[in-house]
Structure formats: C-alpha cells, structure tokens
C-alpha cells in the first residue's frame, strides 16, 4: 500500500496494489546488492560446510573407538555452546589486524567456524547409523575408502545432509550479529545487515512502504525453502532420532 494509507490505517487492505514499493526497495534501497552479497556468502559457506563437514563427520563416526577421536567430537560439541558475544571482541581484533573486515572471505570463515560444530554433530549421528557391513562388502569388491564414503555413505546419509543443508541455509541467511559488526561497508553487506541500513535510510525519507517491501524480500527465500523442504526436514529429524 501507499505511505499515506500506511499511516492512516496499518491493518486496512490497500486500495491499490503499489508494486513500485518493491522496485524502490530493490533499486533505491540497494536490496539487489545486498541480495547478491548474500548469495555469494551463502553458496561459499554451504559448500565448505557440506564438503568438509561430511568428511569430518564420517571420519569421527567410523573411528569413534579411538580416544582422541572421541575427544575431537567432544570439542565440536563444546563449540556449539560458546556464545557469540564472547568471541566477538577477539574476533574483531584478529580480523582488523589481518585485513578481513568488510570482506566476503572474512564473513565466510566466521560462518564456517560457527556452523561447523552443528554440521558435524548431526551428520556424525547419521553416518554412525549406517551398517558397516555394507561398507565392508564394498571394500571386498574393490572399492577404496574414499569411494566407499562417496558411493555408499553419502547416498545413505542423504536425509541428514538435506536436513543440515536446510538448517545451515536458514541460519546463514538470517544471521545478523556477526554481519553487523564485521561488515560496515554497504557494498559488502548481506541482506540481514543491509535491511538495517535500509531502515536508517527510509526513516529519513519516511518511505516506510519500501522498508516493509524490503522485509518481504528478505523473508521470501526462507518461506520458499521451508514450504518446499518441510517434509524432508521432518524426515531427516525423525530418522536421526531413530538412529540415535
């Protein structure tokens, strides 16, 4: 709805559909730049998490009888319990001294470190539930260890991989705390931090309709992901619980 209708009655339906609100948010509000930044960060982070997280989880699940492996798994679990506020100051100082502030690679490294413990914790449970006899049969047939991991373990752990992928997607897409502190350059901001920047701009111009349109743009991908993947999420959580 138009700004004058918005201030007259927030809850009333619009008299005319003002799609130009989205155009102003996308262009004048630079939501297009924020969206592009988020896609770059998202794809890079999820790739690293899924590739290295799955390999680490498989190794921890298959060699869990060693004490040092159990210690590594415990360290990953401990990593899930560390509050972000504790790490912020040393992280900021480290990034500042190494030129990683206002960079894609800096934010990607942070997200990989923050969400890797959750990835390993969940996937290790799925890999541990895969019968070892199947992998042993593949080894007898001449399949090497990496081939067993890629051709046997990965397909059988697909529900867990999909579940972790979806949760990491939602977490990275909506992450706000690190993005606001480590990225202050509007050209490198992801959507979550860019939306706050848009709020400051629209408050000055009193264009609240464009601001609310920006909020909808931020929400659309997460809603699409949830409605398309909700069955897979439920299936992955259920299978993980049964195997545990």
């Amino acid at each position: 709805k138009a700004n004058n209708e918005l201030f007259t009655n927030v809850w009333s339906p619009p008299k005319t559909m003002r799609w130009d609100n989205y155009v102003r948010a996308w262009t004048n509000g630079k939501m297009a730049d924020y969206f592009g930044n988020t896609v770059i960060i998202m794809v890079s982070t999820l790739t690293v998490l899924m590739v290295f997280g799955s390999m680490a989880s498989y190794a921890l699940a298959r060699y869990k009888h060693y004490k040092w492996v159990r210690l590594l798994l415990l360290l990953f679990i401990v990593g899930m319990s560390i509050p972000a506020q504790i790490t912020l100051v040393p992280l900021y100082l480290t990034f500042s001294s190494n030129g990683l502030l206002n960079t894609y690679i800096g934010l990607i490294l942070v997200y990989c470190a923050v969400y890797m413990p959750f990835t390993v914790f969940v996937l290790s449970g799925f890999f541990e539930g895969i019968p070892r006899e199947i992998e042993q049969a593949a080894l007898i047939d001449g399949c090497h260890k990496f081939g067993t991991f890629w051709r046997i373990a990965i397909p059988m752990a697909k529900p867990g991989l999909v579940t972790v992928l979806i949760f990491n997607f939602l977490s990275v897409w909506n992450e706000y705390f690190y993005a606001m502190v480590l990225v202050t350059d509007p050209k490198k901001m992801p959507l979550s931090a860019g939306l706050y920047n848009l709020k400051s701009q629209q408050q000055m111009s009193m264009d609240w309709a464009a601001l609310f349109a920006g909020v909808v743009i931020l929400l659309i991908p997460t809603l699409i992901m949830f409605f398309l993947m909700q069955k897979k999420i439920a299936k992955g959580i259920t299978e993980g619980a049964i195997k545990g």
Side-chain angles (χ1 to χ4, degrees), residues 16-150:
T16 56
M17 303 294 287
R18 298 294 300 270
W19 299 106
D20 58 305
N21 294 336
Y22 291 91
V23 176
R24 293 199 309 277
W26 189 257
T27 56
N28 299 341
K30 299 181 180 180
M31 292 294 287
D33 297 335
Y34 302 147
F35 194 91
N37 296 337
T38 304
V39 170
I40 294 173
I41 295 170
M42 173 71 64
V43 172
S44 303
T45 302
L46 292 182
T47 301
V48 173
L49 287 175
M50 298 308 296
V51 172
F52 292 97
S54 60
M55 290 191 293
S57 303
Y58 180 76
L60 291 174
R62 282 294 173 261
Y63 299 99
K64 200 173 181 179
H65 52 281
Y66 292 108
K67 291 183 178 180
W68 63 271
V69 174
R70 292 199 296 269
L71 177 61
L72 282 177
L73 184 58
L74 178 62
L75 290 176
F76 276 109
I77 296 174
V78 170
M80 297 172 59
S81 63
I82 299 176
Q85 292 81 357
I86 295 178
T87 64
L88 188 59
V89 173
L91 190 64
Y92 183 88
L93 295 176
T94 302
F95 274 42
S96 179
S97 60
N98 290 279
L100 291 174
L101 294 177
N102 295 316
T103 60
Y104 292 139
I105 186 65
L107 211 53
I108 291 168
L109 288 174
V110 171
Y111 289 160
C112 289
V114 169
Y115 300 116
M116 186 64 77
F118 169 78
T119 302
V120 172
F121 175 71
V122 175
L123 289 182
S124 59
F126 277 90
F127 285 123
E128 192 173 356
I130 298 175
R132 299 195 179 195
E133 291 78 9
I134 299 177
E135 298 178 1
Q136 292 172 355
L139 291 172
I140 293 174
D141 289 338
C143 188
H144 50 83
K145 290 187 176 181
F146 183 79
T148 303
F149 163 73
W150 181 252

